[in-house]
Amino acid sequence: MIEQARRRGVGLHGLARMCHTPPTEPRLVLGFGDTPRRAIEAGIAAIADLLVSGS
């Protein structure tokens, strides 16, 4: 999912790389920083589409 989101222009990172002990289930880290609201909304819509489509 992370790579598919990146192809859509959405930057995601898996939580496992930030943990000493990896989580038991996949997790995502979302960060918005200085991102304009419209870009956040578009990114969330792209992630939702990936989750719904399963790809």
Side-chain angles (χ1 to χ4, degrees):
M1 174 178 214
I2 292 170
E3 188 56 41
Q4 293 166 337
R6 286 184 184 151
R7 284 194 291 264
R8 293 177 182 219
V10 178
L12 292 179
H13 299 281
L15 182 63
R17 72 181 214 163
M18 299 175 198
C19 296
H20 178 67
T21 304
T24 57
E25 296 180 12
R27 303 277 191 243
L28 297 172
V29 176
L30 305 174
F32 304 109
D34 191 27
T35 306
R37 181 181 176 142
R38 288 186 180 167
I40 293 170
E41 291 170 348
I44 290 172
I47 294 168
D49 184 54
L50 288 171
L51 289 170
V52 170
S53 69
S55 60

